[in-house]
Amino acid sequence: MTRPSEIRETPAPRRSDWLLLALGSTYKFTLVGFYLVALMTVLKHGGYSLKQLSWVQLIGGIEAFKVLFAALMDGCPTSPRGRFRPWLTGATLALAAAFAVMAFADVSPHFPLLLALCLVLSVSGTLYGCAMLGLSCIVLPKRELGFGGVVQTMAARGGKMIGGALVLWLYQQYGFQTACAFMLAFTLLLLALILPYREPASRAAGGGAAQLAARLFAFWRQPHTGWRWFALLFFATLPYAFCAAVFVPKLADAGYTPVQTGNILAVAIPVACLIVTPLAGRLARSRAPQSLMLPLFALQLPLLLANAAVGYTGAPAWVSPALMVALSLGYTLLMPVLLALMMEKSSRQTAALDSSLQFSVILTGSYAAGFAALRLAQHWGYGSVFLAAVLLALPAGGMMYRMGKNKAV
């Protein structure tokens, strides 16, 4: 397989490419904000237990299997309408249908129906995110990968502001159905952008299921990937994911309203992260990404310990939200570096498969950690979650140390 550095000679992205990547990535993370912040807050304030919330979290873990969708995309012949645009269109239509049901019917009291809609949102959102990521890999030349990581990270924060804070404000002011109607309108706006889009030409891998299945294993046997890279992807975001899963219920139990929760998790955190994200982009351009991983990751450790101390000893009401913001800043500095490395390791021919394969490793650990964190918090309290996150950070730190020392991944 040709290395990415040898084949990533692509034209400069057009304005229409940047527009779709920016707005499309923002929408992708608006879905994340809606699902993990707004919906979880609505359910927590609606009387659902942490155990029930853990099932909603687990359904969201379908995203971890996005590599299967990517294999389907890379295995299908390229359509005259583009390689990824048909998938984006189909996924967006399914999302619009789900939000239409939620907008015109009060589903919050009906937990089984709600779980079914969560399944539709998770599957369709995964398909959409996979196609958008594959499109990013074929549109961005290598020299733009670092900046592309910054755009995606900024879109992540902006999307969470929309899907979290704005949706929760609409929920508190006008009800959950109005909030879902807003999500429906945003989905239709994105669909109007996707339909006339002219996708750059690219060739899928083809070769059938057997060849793509072989690629799933061959990817990890390349000199620039390897099983160490697999383990690092699994553990790198695990500590933050473990803690972030309890942010919503922790704030709710502390007496914060839905709007206040949204302002903290989907305004204060994204705005603070948007401010520091360009710094991460400049660092990624000026130094080798592998040498930046450990210093940026290590910023999270004292914050994890501080959160654990607050969970056990108590503190003024503002301390816990402030520590959530600080922990998110440390995570945000790490992500553009990790994203740049992931895109660099993705072959143009199997862009969707390679990028989604790496994200699937991250997401498998992240959603499993979220499920475990909510169960752990129910039995042992929130402080135990942050202590467990410290233990999870140790193997990741060790691998990053070896990676920086060897100057290779």
PDB file of all heavy atoms in Angstrom, residues 263-297:
ATOM      1  N   ASN A 263     -24.780  26.257  29.364  1.00  0.00           N
ATOM      2  CA  ASN A 263     -23.829  27.379  29.313  1.00  0.00           C
ATOM      3  C   ASN A 263     -22.430  26.946  29.731  1.00  0.00           C
ATOM      4  O   ASN A 263     -21.426  27.427  29.187  1.00  0.00           O
ATOM      5  CB  ASN A 263     -24.313  28.519  30.205  1.00  0.00           C
ATOM      6  CG  ASN A 263     -25.494  29.255  29.616  1.00  0.00           C
ATOM      7  OD1 ASN A 263     -25.736  29.203  28.407  1.00  0.00           O
ATOM      8  ND2 ASN A 263     -26.258  29.929  30.457  1.00  0.00           N
ATOM      9  N   ILE A 264     -22.361  26.036  30.698  1.00  0.00           N
ATOM     10  CA  ILE A 264     -21.055  25.573  31.166  1.00  0.00           C
ATOM     11  C   ILE A 264     -20.419  24.624  30.158  1.00  0.00           C
ATOM     12  O   ILE A 264     -19.268  24.802  29.734  1.00  0.00           O
ATOM     13  CB  ILE A 264     -21.182  24.883  32.542  1.00  0.00           C
ATOM     14  CG1 ILE A 264     -21.581  25.901  33.604  1.00  0.00           C
ATOM     15  CG2 ILE A 264     -19.871  24.205  32.931  1.00  0.00           C
ATOM     16  CD1 ILE A 264     -22.010  25.276  34.924  1.00  0.00           C
ATOM     17  N   LEU A 265     -21.180  23.592  29.755  1.00  0.00           N
ATOM     18  CA  LEU A 265     -20.617  22.525  28.932  1.00  0.00           C
ATOM     19  C   LEU A 265     -20.576  22.862  27.454  1.00  0.00           C
ATOM     20  O   LEU A 265     -19.741  22.324  26.716  1.00  0.00           O
ATOM     21  CB  LEU A 265     -21.416  21.233  29.144  1.00  0.00           C
ATOM     22  CG  LEU A 265     -21.440  20.676  30.562  1.00  0.00           C
ATOM     23  CD1 LEU A 265     -22.209  19.365  30.602  1.00  0.00           C
ATOM     24  CD2 LEU A 265     -20.024  20.479  31.098  1.00  0.00           C
ATOM     25  N   ALA A 266     -21.491  23.723  26.997  1.00  0.00           N
ATOM     26  CA  ALA A 266     -21.592  23.974  25.555  1.00  0.00           C
ATOM     27  C   ALA A 266     -21.355  25.428  25.170  1.00  0.00           C
ATOM     28  O   ALA A 266     -21.510  25.786  24.011  1.00  0.00           O
ATOM     29  CB  ALA A 266     -22.973  23.527  25.043  1.00  0.00           C
ATOM     30  N   VAL A 267     -21.012  26.278  26.140  1.00  0.00           N
ATOM     31  CA  VAL A 267     -20.613  27.651  25.828  1.00  0.00           C
ATOM     32  C   VAL A 267     -19.251  27.953  26.447  1.00  0.00           C
ATOM     33  O   VAL A 267     -18.286  28.255  25.738  1.00  0.00           O
ATOM     34  CB  VAL A 267     -21.661  28.676  26.308  1.00  0.00           C
ATOM     35  CG1 VAL A 267     -21.148  30.098  26.060  1.00  0.00           C
ATOM     36  CG2 VAL A 267     -22.987  28.478  25.588  1.00  0.00           C
ATOM     37  N   ALA A 268     -19.165  27.869  27.767  1.00  0.00           N
ATOM     38  CA  ALA A 268     -17.912  28.207  28.442  1.00  0.00           C
ATOM     39  C   ALA A 268     -16.766  27.317  27.965  1.00  0.00           C
ATOM     40  O   ALA A 268     -15.682  27.810  27.613  1.00  0.00           O
ATOM     41  CB  ALA A 268     -18.086  28.088  29.955  1.00  0.00           C
ATOM     42  N   ILE A 269     -17.004  26.011  27.936  1.00  0.00           N
ATOM     43  CA  ILE A 269     -15.950  25.097  27.506  1.00  0.00           C
ATOM     44  C   ILE A 269     -15.599  25.296  26.031  1.00  0.00           C
ATOM     45  O   ILE A 269     -14.415  25.458  25.689  1.00  0.00           O
ATOM     46  CB  ILE A 269     -16.346  23.638  27.809  1.00  0.00           C
ATOM     47  CG1 ILE A 269     -16.266  23.389  29.318  1.00  0.00           C
ATOM     48  CG2 ILE A 269     -15.440  22.654  27.066  1.00  0.00           C
ATOM     49  CD1 ILE A 269     -16.683  21.996  29.739  1.00  0.00           C
ATOM     50  N   PRO A 270     -16.579  25.305  25.101  1.00  0.00           N
ATOM     51  CA  PRO A 270     -16.202  25.522  23.691  1.00  0.00           C
ATOM     52  C   PRO A 270     -15.523  26.860  23.431  1.00  0.00           C
ATOM     53  O   PRO A 270     -14.566  26.923  22.649  1.00  0.00           O
ATOM     54  CB  PRO A 270     -17.548  25.431  22.953  1.00  0.00           C
ATOM     55  CG  PRO A 270     -18.394  24.576  23.822  1.00  0.00           C
ATOM     56  CD  PRO A 270     -18.002  24.956  25.216  1.00  0.00           C
ATOM     57  N   VAL A 271     -16.008  27.946  24.052  1.00  0.00           N
ATOM     58  CA  VAL A 271     -15.386  29.250  23.811  1.00  0.00           C
ATOM     59  C   VAL A 271     -13.943  29.249  24.288  1.00  0.00           C
ATOM     60  O   VAL A 271     -13.030  29.721  23.593  1.00  0.00           O
ATOM     61  CB  VAL A 271     -16.193  30.370  24.499  1.00  0.00           C
ATOM     62  CG1 VAL A 271     -15.403  31.670  24.521  1.00  0.00           C
ATOM     63  CG2 VAL A 271     -17.524  30.579  23.779  1.00  0.00           C
ATOM     64  N   ALA A 272     -13.717  28.720  25.489  1.00  0.00           N
ATOM     65  CA  ALA A 272     -12.355  28.653  26.004  1.00  0.00           C
ATOM     66  C   ALA A 272     -11.477  27.797  25.096  1.00  0.00           C
ATOM     67  O   ALA A 272     -10.322  28.136  24.826  1.00  0.00           O
ATOM     68  CB  ALA A 272     -12.364  28.088  27.426  1.00  0.00           C
ATOM     69  N   CYS A 273     -12.046  26.698  24.597  1.00  0.00           N
ATOM     70  CA  CYS A 273     -11.270  25.812  23.734  1.00  0.00           C
ATOM     71  C   CYS A 273     -11.015  26.428  22.364  1.00  0.00           C
ATOM     72  O   CYS A 273      -9.963  26.206  21.765  1.00  0.00           O
ATOM     73  CB  CYS A 273     -11.991  24.476  23.595  1.00  0.00           C
ATOM     74  SG  CYS A 273     -12.037  23.509  25.127  1.00  0.00           S
ATOM     75  N   LEU A 274     -11.983  27.194  21.852  1.00  0.00           N
ATOM     76  CA  LEU A 274     -11.766  27.875  20.580  1.00  0.00           C
ATOM     77  C   LEU A 274     -10.605  28.862  20.673  1.00  0.00           C
ATOM     78  O   LEU A 274      -9.880  29.078  19.696  1.00  0.00           O
ATOM     79  CB  LEU A 274     -13.047  28.614  20.163  1.00  0.00           C
ATOM     80  CG  LEU A 274     -14.167  27.762  19.574  1.00  0.00           C
ATOM     81  CD1 LEU A 274     -15.437  28.592  19.413  1.00  0.00           C
ATOM     82  CD2 LEU A 274     -13.754  27.163  18.241  1.00  0.00           C
ATOM     83  N   ILE A 275     -10.430  29.457  21.829  1.00  0.00           N
ATOM     84  CA  ILE A 275      -9.348  30.429  22.014  1.00  0.00           C
ATOM     85  C   ILE A 275      -7.985  29.745  21.950  1.00  0.00           C
ATOM     86  O   ILE A 275      -7.030  30.274  21.364  1.00  0.00           O
ATOM     87  CB  ILE A 275      -9.533  31.186  23.342  1.00  0.00           C
ATOM     88  CG1 ILE A 275     -10.801  32.059  23.281  1.00  0.00           C
ATOM     89  CG2 ILE A 275      -8.310  32.042  23.661  1.00  0.00           C
ATOM     90  CD1 ILE A 275     -11.171  32.707  24.604  1.00  0.00           C
ATOM     91  N   VAL A 276      -7.878  28.554  22.553  1.00  0.00           N
ATOM     92  CA  VAL A 276      -6.568  27.899  22.614  1.00  0.00           C
ATOM     93  C   VAL A 276      -6.295  26.981  21.423  1.00  0.00           C
ATOM     94  O   VAL A 276      -5.139  26.613  21.197  1.00  0.00           O
ATOM     95  CB  VAL A 276      -6.417  27.081  23.921  1.00  0.00           C
ATOM     96  CG1 VAL A 276      -6.639  27.961  25.132  1.00  0.00           C
ATOM     97  CG2 VAL A 276      -7.360  25.892  23.943  1.00  0.00           C
ATOM     98  N   THR A 277      -7.318  26.629  20.640  1.00  0.00           N
ATOM     99  CA  THR A 277      -7.115  25.701  19.532  1.00  0.00           C
ATOM    100  C   THR A 277      -6.106  26.204  18.499  1.00  0.00           C
ATOM    101  O   THR A 277      -5.260  25.430  18.035  1.00  0.00           O
ATOM    102  CB  THR A 277      -8.458  25.373  18.849  1.00  0.00           C
ATOM    103  OG1 THR A 277      -9.314  24.717  19.786  1.00  0.00           O
ATOM    104  CG2 THR A 277      -8.254  24.472  17.647  1.00  0.00           C
ATOM    105  N   PRO A 278      -6.129  27.486  18.082  1.00  0.00           N
ATOM    106  CA  PRO A 278      -5.105  27.941  17.130  1.00  0.00           C
ATOM    107  C   PRO A 278      -3.686  27.750  17.645  1.00  0.00           C
ATOM    108  O   PRO A 278      -2.764  27.525  16.855  1.00  0.00           O
ATOM    109  CB  PRO A 278      -5.446  29.425  16.940  1.00  0.00           C
ATOM    110  CG  PRO A 278      -6.914  29.504  17.218  1.00  0.00           C
ATOM    111  CD  PRO A 278      -7.144  28.527  18.332  1.00  0.00           C
ATOM    112  N   LEU A 279      -3.500  27.834  18.972  1.00  0.00           N
ATOM    113  CA  LEU A 279      -2.181  27.583  19.537  1.00  0.00           C
ATOM    114  C   LEU A 279      -1.735  26.160  19.240  1.00  0.00           C
ATOM    115  O   LEU A 279      -0.582  25.923  18.864  1.00  0.00           O
ATOM    116  CB  LEU A 279      -2.201  27.830  21.049  1.00  0.00           C
ATOM    117  CG  LEU A 279      -0.937  27.427  21.820  1.00  0.00           C
ATOM    118  CD1 LEU A 279       0.257  28.229  21.327  1.00  0.00           C
ATOM    119  CD2 LEU A 279      -1.141  27.630  23.323  1.00  0.00           C
ATOM    120  N   ALA A 280      -2.660  25.208  19.383  1.00  0.00           N
ATOM    121  CA  ALA A 280      -2.332  23.819  19.072  1.00  0.00           C
ATOM    122  C   ALA A 280      -1.992  23.663  17.597  1.00  0.00           C
ATOM    123  O   ALA A 280      -1.089  22.892  17.234  1.00  0.00           O
ATOM    124  CB  ALA A 280      -3.498  22.913  19.456  1.00  0.00           C
ATOM    125  N   GLY A 281      -2.701  24.393  16.731  1.00  0.00           N
ATOM    126  CA  GLY A 281      -2.415  24.329  15.307  1.00  0.00           C
ATOM    127  C   GLY A 281      -1.021  24.844  14.980  1.00  0.00           C
ATOM    128  O   GLY A 281      -0.297  24.259  14.168  1.00  0.00           O
ATOM    129  N   ARG A 282      -0.633  25.948  15.610  1.00  0.00           N
ATOM    130  CA  ARG A 282       0.714  26.486  15.383  1.00  0.00           C
ATOM    131  C   ARG A 282       1.787  25.534  15.891  1.00  0.00           C
ATOM    132  O   ARG A 282       2.830  25.366  15.268  1.00  0.00           O
ATOM    133  CB  ARG A 282       0.842  27.857  16.046  1.00  0.00           C
ATOM    134  CG  ARG A 282       0.087  28.966  15.323  1.00  0.00           C
ATOM    135  CD  ARG A 282       0.546  30.335  15.787  1.00  0.00           C
ATOM    136  NE  ARG A 282       0.183  30.574  17.177  1.00  0.00           N
ATOM    137  CZ  ARG A 282      -0.960  31.131  17.568  1.00  0.00           C
ATOM    138  NH1 ARG A 282      -1.874  31.473  16.661  1.00  0.00           N
ATOM    139  NH2 ARG A 282      -1.212  31.335  18.842  1.00  0.00           N
ATOM    140  N   LEU A 283       1.515  24.909  17.043  1.00  0.00           N
ATOM    141  CA  LEU A 283       2.473  23.940  17.568  1.00  0.00           C
ATOM    142  C   LEU A 283       2.622  22.756  16.626  1.00  0.00           C
ATOM    143  O   LEU A 283       3.730  22.264  16.402  1.00  0.00           O
ATOM    144  CB  LEU A 283       2.014  23.454  18.954  1.00  0.00           C
ATOM    145  CG  LEU A 283       2.139  24.450  20.105  1.00  0.00           C
ATOM    146  CD1 LEU A 283       1.478  23.886  21.357  1.00  0.00           C
ATOM    147  CD2 LEU A 283       3.599  24.779  20.389  1.00  0.00           C
ATOM    148  N   ALA A 284       1.500  22.295  16.051  1.00  0.00           N
ATOM    149  CA  ALA A 284       1.539  21.151  15.148  1.00  0.00           C
ATOM    150  C   ALA A 284       2.324  21.458  13.879  1.00  0.00           C
ATOM    151  O   ALA A 284       2.908  20.562  13.278  1.00  0.00           O
ATOM    152  CB  ALA A 284       0.116  20.719  14.793  1.00  0.00           C
ATOM    153  N   ARG A 285       2.342  22.731  13.464  1.00  0.00           N
ATOM    154  CA  ARG A 285       3.085  23.109  12.262  1.00  0.00           C
ATOM    155  C   ARG A 285       4.561  23.344  12.543  1.00  0.00           C
ATOM    156  O   ARG A 285       5.397  23.226  11.642  1.00  0.00           O
ATOM    157  CB  ARG A 285       2.483  24.374  11.652  1.00  0.00           C
ATOM    158  CG  ARG A 285       1.174  24.136  10.895  1.00  0.00           C
ATOM    159  CD  ARG A 285       0.606  25.439  10.359  1.00  0.00           C
ATOM    160  NE  ARG A 285      -0.502  25.208   9.426  1.00  0.00           N
ATOM    161  CZ  ARG A 285      -1.223  26.166   8.872  1.00  0.00           C
ATOM    162  NH1 ARG A 285      -0.958  27.434   9.158  1.00  0.00           N
ATOM    163  NH2 ARG A 285      -2.211  25.884   8.046  1.00  0.00           N
ATOM    164  N   SER A 286       4.894  23.686  13.785  1.00  0.00           N
ATOM    165  CA  SER A 286       6.264  24.062  14.100  1.00  0.00           C
ATOM    166  C   SER A 286       7.088  22.912  14.662  1.00  0.00           C
ATOM    167  O   SER A 286       8.318  22.939  14.589  1.00  0.00           O
ATOM    168  CB  SER A 286       6.278  25.221  15.109  1.00  0.00           C
ATOM    169  OG  SER A 286       5.670  24.821  16.334  1.00  0.00           O
ATOM    170  N   ARG A 287       6.436  21.887  15.206  1.00  0.00           N
ATOM    171  CA  ARG A 287       7.157  20.767  15.804  1.00  0.00           C
ATOM    172  C   ARG A 287       6.531  19.448  15.360  1.00  0.00           C
ATOM    173  O   ARG A 287       5.377  19.398  14.966  1.00  0.00           O
ATOM    174  CB  ARG A 287       7.127  20.854  17.336  1.00  0.00           C
ATOM    175  CG  ARG A 287       7.866  22.054  17.907  1.00  0.00           C
ATOM    176  CD  ARG A 287       7.817  22.056  19.409  1.00  0.00           C
ATOM    177  NE  ARG A 287       8.351  20.829  19.993  1.00  0.00           N
ATOM    178  CZ  ARG A 287       8.323  20.542  21.294  1.00  0.00           C
ATOM    179  NH1 ARG A 287       7.760  21.396  22.141  1.00  0.00           N
ATOM    180  NH2 ARG A 287       8.834  19.413  21.753  1.00  0.00           N
ATOM    181  N   ALA A 288       7.322  18.392  15.442  1.00  0.00           N
ATOM    182  CA  ALA A 288       6.814  17.070  15.075  1.00  0.00           C
ATOM    183  C   ALA A 288       5.680  16.688  16.022  1.00  0.00           C
ATOM    184  O   ALA A 288       5.837  16.800  17.246  1.00  0.00           O
ATOM    185  CB  ALA A 288       7.931  16.034  15.156  1.00  0.00           C
ATOM    186  N   PRO A 289       4.528  16.253  15.492  1.00  0.00           N
ATOM    187  CA  PRO A 289       3.392  15.940  16.362  1.00  0.00           C
ATOM    188  C   PRO A 289       3.711  14.924  17.448  1.00  0.00           C
ATOM    189  O   PRO A 289       3.255  15.055  18.587  1.00  0.00           O
ATOM    190  CB  PRO A 289       2.341  15.405  15.385  1.00  0.00           C
ATOM    191  CG  PRO A 289       2.697  16.009  14.070  1.00  0.00           C
ATOM    192  CD  PRO A 289       4.186  16.102  14.073  1.00  0.00           C
ATOM    193  N   GLN A 290       4.520  13.896  17.114  1.00  0.00           N
ATOM    194  CA  GLN A 290       4.805  12.868  18.109  1.00  0.00           C
ATOM    195  C   GLN A 290       5.570  13.399  19.309  1.00  0.00           C
ATOM    196  O   GLN A 290       5.465  12.862  20.409  1.00  0.00           O
ATOM    197  CB  GLN A 290       5.559  11.685  17.478  1.00  0.00           C
ATOM    198  CG  GLN A 290       6.859  12.049  16.794  1.00  0.00           C
ATOM    199  CD  GLN A 290       6.663  12.269  15.320  1.00  0.00           C
ATOM    200  OE1 GLN A 290       5.605  12.728  14.889  1.00  0.00           O
ATOM    201  NE2 GLN A 290       7.669  11.934  14.515  1.00  0.00           N
ATOM    202  N   SER A 291       6.324  14.496  19.104  1.00  0.00           N
ATOM    203  CA  SER A 291       7.055  15.083  20.227  1.00  0.00           C
ATOM    204  C   SER A 291       6.169  15.957  21.101  1.00  0.00           C
ATOM    205  O   SER A 291       6.545  16.306  22.220  1.00  0.00           O
ATOM    206  CB  SER A 291       8.240  15.905  19.703  1.00  0.00           C
ATOM    207  OG  SER A 291       7.782  17.053  18.991  1.00  0.00           O
ATOM    208  N   LEU A 292       4.990  16.322  20.588  1.00  0.00           N
ATOM    209  CA  LEU A 292       4.067  17.172  21.347  1.00  0.00           C
ATOM    210  C   LEU A 292       3.075  16.378  22.187  1.00  0.00           C
ATOM    211  O   LEU A 292       2.474  16.930  23.110  1.00  0.00           O
ATOM    212  CB  LEU A 292       3.271  18.062  20.384  1.00  0.00           C
ATOM    213  CG  LEU A 292       4.040  19.160  19.651  1.00  0.00           C
ATOM    214  CD1 LEU A 292       3.163  19.771  18.575  1.00  0.00           C
ATOM    215  CD2 LEU A 292       4.492  20.231  20.632  1.00  0.00           C
ATOM    216  N   MET A 293       2.897  15.104  21.860  1.00  0.00           N
ATOM    217  CA  MET A 293       1.822  14.334  22.475  1.00  0.00           C
ATOM    218  C   MET A 293       1.931  14.289  24.001  1.00  0.00           C
ATOM    219  O   MET A 293       0.979  14.603  24.718  1.00  0.00           O
ATOM    220  CB  MET A 293       1.809  12.917  21.909  1.00  0.00           C
ATOM    221  CG  MET A 293       1.392  12.829  20.459  1.00  0.00           C
ATOM    222  SD  MET A 293      -0.388  13.022  20.232  1.00  0.00           S
ATOM    223  CE  MET A 293      -0.966  11.459  20.851  1.00  0.00           C
ATOM    224  N   LEU A 294       3.071  13.870  24.517  1.00  0.00           N
ATOM    225  CA  LEU A 294       3.206  13.686  25.963  1.00  0.00           C
ATOM    226  C   LEU A 294       3.069  14.992  26.741  1.00  0.00           C
ATOM    227  O   LEU A 294       2.324  15.036  27.730  1.00  0.00           O
ATOM    228  CB  LEU A 294       4.529  12.997  26.291  1.00  0.00           C
ATOM    229  CG  LEU A 294       4.756  12.731  27.794  1.00  0.00           C
ATOM    230  CD1 LEU A 294       3.643  11.852  28.357  1.00  0.00           C
ATOM    231  CD2 LEU A 294       6.125  12.078  28.019  1.00  0.00           C
ATOM    232  N   PRO A 295       3.757  16.084  26.346  1.00  0.00           N
ATOM    233  CA  PRO A 295       3.582  17.329  27.118  1.00  0.00           C
ATOM    234  C   PRO A 295       2.135  17.810  27.153  1.00  0.00           C
ATOM    235  O   PRO A 295       1.659  18.265  28.200  1.00  0.00           O
ATOM    236  CB  PRO A 295       4.482  18.329  26.373  1.00  0.00           C
ATOM    237  CG  PRO A 295       5.486  17.501  25.673  1.00  0.00           C
ATOM    238  CD  PRO A 295       4.771  16.247  25.285  1.00  0.00           C
ATOM    239  N   LEU A 296       1.425  17.707  26.027  1.00  0.00           N
ATOM    240  CA  LEU A 296       0.037  18.163  26.004  1.00  0.00           C
ATOM    241  C   LEU A 296      -0.879  17.222  26.794  1.00  0.00           C
ATOM    242  O   LEU A 296      -1.810  17.667  27.473  1.00  0.00           O
ATOM    243  CB  LEU A 296      -0.449  18.273  24.557  1.00  0.00           C
ATOM    244  CG  LEU A 296       0.273  19.314  23.695  1.00  0.00           C
ATOM    245  CD1 LEU A 296      -0.254  19.285  22.262  1.00  0.00           C
ATOM    246  CD2 LEU A 296       0.116  20.702  24.290  1.00  0.00           C
ATOM    247  N   PHE A 297      -0.609  15.935  26.713  1.00  0.00           N
ATOM    248  CA  PHE A 297      -1.403  14.959  27.469  1.00  0.00           C
ATOM    249  C   PHE A 297      -1.192  15.128  28.970  1.00  0.00           C
ATOM    250  O   PHE A 297      -2.139  15.008  29.768  1.00  0.00           O
ATOM    251  CB  PHE A 297      -1.018  13.547  27.032  1.00  0.00           C
ATOM    252  CG  PHE A 297      -1.785  12.462  27.725  1.00  0.00           C
ATOM    253  CD1 PHE A 297      -3.074  12.143  27.327  1.00  0.00           C
ATOM    254  CD2 PHE A 297      -1.212  11.747  28.765  1.00  0.00           C
ATOM    255  CE1 PHE A 297      -3.791  11.138  27.964  1.00  0.00           C
ATOM    256  CE2 PHE A 297      -1.912  10.736  29.404  1.00  0.00           C
ATOM    257  CZ  PHE A 297      -3.203  10.430  29.005  1.00  0.00           C
TER     258      PHE A 297
END
